[in-house]
Amino acid sequence: MPASPSTARAINDRLALSLLQQEGPLTAGQLKQLTGLSRPTVADLVERLTAAGLITVVGESGEQRRGPNARLYGIVADRAHLAALDVRTEGVLVLVSDLVGRVLAEASVPIGDDAGTGPAVEQAVAAVERAVKEAGADRLHTVGIGAPGLIDPATGDLRDSAGLPAWHRSLAAALPERLTGARVTVENETNLAALAEQREGAARDRDTFVLLWLGHGVGAAVVLDGTLRRGASGGTGEIGFLPVPGTGSLPSATDCAGGLHSLTGAAAIASLAAECGLPAPTAADGTGVAAVVRNAVTAQARAARPTEAPAAQRFLGTLADRIAVGAASVVAVLDPGCVVLGGEIGRAGGETLAGLVARRLRRMSPLPTEVRPSGLGGTAVLRGALLTARDRAQDELFAPPER
């Protein structure tokens, strides 16, 4: 059946808004060309969206033509303000943006292991409030949170997880109460990183891929046919618990020691660096170990012959062996065709580490699999949280009014 006039208007409005989000400011003529709609229809939707406060004139086109320049229309960026949080074991990173995703303010707060749940939550909330004030925003419309651990697919809540600070779950519950009127979405950090890599990073041309997150811990996110897969309990990609050879034990339901985490987590990579005679990282976390990986890649690249950088070569080779074990297990089950090495460590290893892992995968699996380095690294979680918040806000604000 043909769409009703009101449905057709809603579809056309959303199409125009999506183009303005993707392309930036456009003239009415450009909207006509990109949408294929008639000139009167475009004129009507421009008038309608302007009256609704969703778009406004932001300038004039620079086209050389007779008569006045055409007006450029853009989304009203300050119609809503958004926040994104990357909740880590050792602290929180925050950014605040406008409706089109332009970052207006950033903040970070370290939270020590000895901080109680209440003080930790207060520190994190205060960081968000500082960023909101710096951005000049009165309130937040939507907040996206990326956190380690499992998200309950039925409720969207962060589940209790052994080994993670209790304040993580308390923060996710406190923010909707403290940020009056804000919609809050919580998602697993690795899933958000995959969404960011798909939209802005290394997997922009892939509908199906797996992201291996290599940071403080190890995890995976699975995107199949353009859709993020979370699993029955929200645990798809918890490969830190994957039993692998070389650890000497098995993981348990409450501890991933003995799983892939014991080979490719930051602490394990720091120990590997020491065994290979490389300088110890400043801290055995994602950022500290990433610096060691980056230095090893640089040392190997500068060497005229492999024998001139034996420590770096041995370190990167063994690290690639370990990563390939986990990647091969995922490839055997999912056949994704592409694996992205994400997180701070994946990006630090770059094409060098990705190439080493790819060569090992070719020996271990008959399934052709491309291995790519992250395009976003440690910033992917924050970008994914912002994209999620922006999508949710736009879904609500761009929806046609109820009649």
Side-chain angles (χ1 to χ4, degrees), residues 35-344:
T35 61
L37 299 173
S38 68
R39 189 177 299 277
T41 300
V42 170
D44 286 344
L45 74 82
V46 166
E47 181 179 356
R48 192 162 52 246
L49 295 175
T50 301
L54 293 174
I55 68 173
T56 189
V57 177
V58 296
E60 295 183 346
S61 69
E63 298 172 357
Q64 298 297 321
R65 61 187 183 87
R66 299 177 64 180
N69 288 337
R71 293 176 175 178
L72 279 169
Y73 295 93
I75 293 173
V76 178
D78 61 0
R79 175 68 183 270
H81 289 91
L82 320 170
L85 278 70
D86 181 358
V87 179
R88 305 189 177 197
T89 304
E90 68 279 5
V92 178
L93 303 176
V94 182
L95 63 78
V96 175
S97 83
D98 58 23
L99 185 57
V100 297
R102 185 173 61 246
V103 176
L104 304 174
E106 299 180 68
S108 63
V109 56
I111 298 177
D113 294 337
D114 55 347
T117 297
V121 170
E122 286 300 320
Q123 291 179 58
V125 172
V128 176
E129 292 173 340
R130 286 197 306 273
V132 171
K133 183 177 180 180
E134 182 182 341
D138 295 327
R139 56 182 291 272
L140 292 173
H141 183 282
T142 308
V143 179
I145 303 175
L150 301 181
I151 308 299
D152 189 319
T155 65
D157 295 332
L158 184 64
R159 291 167 51 183
D160 284 323
S161 299
L164 294 176
W167 62 266
H168 281 193
R169 194 163 188 267
S170 298
L171 174 62
L175 281 172
E177 299 175 1
R178 297 287 294 272
L179 303 174
T180 306
R183 296 98 175 132
V184 177
T185 300
V186 185
E187 180 59 271
N188 173 267
E189 60 178 356
T190 308
N191 287 344
L192 288 179
L195 291 174
E197 294 286 358
Q198 185 182 31
R199 298 268 288 272
E200 299 180 343
R204 281 173 291 182
D205 61 336
R206 305 291 305 202
D207 288 331
T208 295
F209 71 99
V210 169
L211 171 78
L212 290 185
W213 180 265
L214 303 169
H216 182 76
V218 58
V222 177
V223 177
L224 301 178
D225 299 323
T227 301
L228 179 69
R229 305 295 180 176
R230 295 177 174 85
S233 64
T236 295
E238 287 294 315
I239 61 169
F241 288 88
L242 181 71
V244 291
T247 63
S249 63
L250 290 173
S252 71
T254 58
D255 190 352
C256 57
L260 185 63
H261 176 84
S262 296
L263 292 182
T264 57
I269 299 175
S271 297
L272 174 62
E275 293 170 10
C276 294
L278 297 179
T282 55
D285 58 12
T287 302
V289 173
V292 174
V293 174
R294 192 177 301 109
N295 291 339
V297 169
T298 300
Q300 181 166 296
R302 288 177 176 173
R305 295 179 298 276
T307 54
E308 293 180 359
Q313 184 184 36
R314 186 166 63 255
F315 169 72
L316 291 172
T318 304
L319 178 57
D321 289 338
R322 295 180 177 188
I323 295 171
V325 168
S329 300
V330 172
V331 167
V333 175
L334 298 175
D335 186 19
C338 178
V339 172
V340 176
L341 302 184
E344 299 95 334

Side-chain angles (χ1 to χ4, degrees), residues 296-298 300-301 316 320 341 348-359 373:
V297 169
T298 300
Q300 181 166 296
L316 291 172
L341 302 184
E351 294 287 353
T352 297
L353 182 60
L356 292 171
V357 173
R359 285 197 287 275

